[in-house]
Amino acid sequence: MSSFDKVAEYSCKHPKPAATTFAYGTAGFRTVGTTLGSTVFRMGLLAALRSQSKQGQMIGVMITASHNEERDNGVKLVDPMGEMLQQSWESHCTRIANAESDADVVAVLAAVAESEGIDLEVTPRVAYARDTRPSGPMLQTALEGGLAALGALATNYGVVTTPQLHYFVRCTNTAGTAAEYGDATEAGYYKKYGDAFLRLVDGKTVPTQLHIDAANGVGAPQVRKLAAALSSPYLDIVVSNGDTTTPGQLNNGCGADYVKSNQRAPQGIVLQPGARYCSFDGDADRIVYYYADDEQGAFRLLDGDKIATLVATYLRDLVAAAGISDNDLEVGVVQTAYANGSSTSYIKDTLRLPTVFAKTGVKHLHHAAEKMHIGVYFEANGHGTVLFNPAAVAKLHAAVPQTPAQADAIQRLWALRDLINESVGDAMSDMLVVEAILISKGWTPAQWDAAYTDLPSRLVKVVVADRSVFRTTNAEQTLTAPRDLQATVDALVGKHPRGRAFVRPSGTEDAVRVYAEAATRADCDQLAYAVAGAVFDKAGGRGERPAEFI
């Protein structure tokens, strides 16, 4: 019997929806949950094959749609070190998801096995989990069918956050090695990050309560477990929007994406001056902070850019306090085109740290950060983490303190590395990092926010006939097609003080996003709507021209 003999028998129970095309992107597959049964089954097959290609290392499968509305769901694969799936395998995912028949599914598996030189005698190992979405149990059953069809040794982690699954995969594959990352259990997760947090805050002034908007998602029960495991006054939390059972509540009027997009507090939270607030998204891989201005009670957002600059500042100061030169242990920041221009200026001109731009999408930022000694990356939406590359780890091991202050700084660098989930952006880990820094510095959110002032910005969607005609370069900040449209954008930008704008095609629909910023709100809005109008008029705008377009 060949390795694929049982596949057709299982596959026929999960037929592909007719006239439907699936595409694996940065977030894996993501669409209406009820249409994903065949795709999730086939990801079980491919996860097993991916494990075999990695000599039986654990591969992860996460069933989630993150910040999307509750009716949606999705699935993505996690590679052995807890990182996102190697990009070259994304095309394999897309091919098998779109195979029209059971025989075609088998043929794609065989082709992948041959092209990748996979030893099919290796026993595959796969870990999987899901979030709280109603379609999750059905999709989990489909996934289990795919794993069974190829005889995978499967570990079900149940309902956990996406970053927790990434952590479990990395821990499993590094167990017993010099790079051992931790215990691959929920209790191990809480202990690793909880202990590191306490090492950083021990002896400092105990902070006030932290108010957490958990998006009515999986982050709610998990952050409560984290706080219970820590059992420390340094993490005194109040969880709002923690309803994971009432239909329709997930990400509804709450969560990090809602707060960031609407620039307002989530439903269920009334801001009080002097208090700290943060929001997770539905699978707890994004986080944003916010607070009420003490004078006017106005909403103030502390997004991914603000988190990146806070963390980079703290790391830079620790490296200096440790007596390690910048050349030996340099801190750098990776941003996308959506980063506010004020944050970029602050990093370059005030912190004097190197910063590079990467294409939108966590995998692009992650790869850029890997090239730095200590790479800090956050998208403005609050998804990000910090990476210590092997040279940085070696330098820390070799560091010999000459004073007690240097010894303390080196220990704090180690504690901070232990506190960070280097596999992927993790709302709970990032929350602990932010809290540890604020406690260490004795800062309020307003003091954190005072480092720089964001330029007013505006994001506008333009529906177009064909998004494929838009091509970009320079980390998606400059158009190369349609012809002459970039010259029009440049001319419009030149009319506004501190103006910046770019046009980026959507990855999921026939639309483009126009981002603009400028010195004043009036200039910013005028620039955004003028560029949007130019795109609509010159590059195939579809439907009625929006009245606000200039």
Side-chain angles (χ1 to χ4, degrees), residues 179-266:
E180 187 163 358
Y181 201 63
D183 178 24
T185 64
E186 284 189 52
Y189 175 95
Y190 306 137
K191 180 171 176 53
K192 175 183 171 71
Y193 296 123
D195 286 354
F197 173 72
L198 293 177
R199 283 156 55 197
L200 284 166
V201 302
D202 184 44
K204 304 294 184 181
T205 301
V206 173
T208 56
Q209 282 186 322
L210 173 65
H211 300 262
I212 301 172
D213 157 32
N216 294 315
V218 65
Q222 292 299 329
V223 78
R224 289 188 180 112
K225 291 180 184 178
L226 172 64
L230 213 60
S231 187
S232 168
Y234 286 105
L235 188 67
D236 182 8
I237 64 171
V238 178
V239 178
S240 300
N241 296 318
D243 182 357
T244 61
T245 57
T246 303
Q249 295 304 300
L250 179 65
N251 294 321
N252 185 8
C254 57
D257 191 62
Y258 174 88
V259 171
K260 169 69 175 171
S261 299
N262 293 280
Q263 300 282 307
R264 67 170 71 170

Side-chain angles (χ1 to χ4, degrees), residues 79-146:
D79 259 357
M81 287 299 287
E83 74 274 43
M84 302 182 80
L85 178 67
Q86 182 178 308
Q87 192 167 356
S88 64
W89 272 67
E90 292 179 4
S91 60
H92 298 330
C93 294
T94 299
R95 280 182 63 200
I96 198 167
N98 292 300
E100 292 296 338
S101 69
D102 301 332
D104 291 339
V105 171
V106 175
V108 172
L109 287 174
V112 171
E114 182 177 2
S115 67
E116 299 287 344
I118 296 172
D119 180 359
L120 298 177
E121 296 301 315
V122 172
T123 300
R125 294 190 301 158
V126 178
Y128 62 97
R130 62 180 178 87
D131 68 12
T132 57
R133 294 169 188 273
S135 57
M138 176 269 290
L139 296 177
Q140 178 180 312
T141 299
L143 172 67
E144 289 166 345

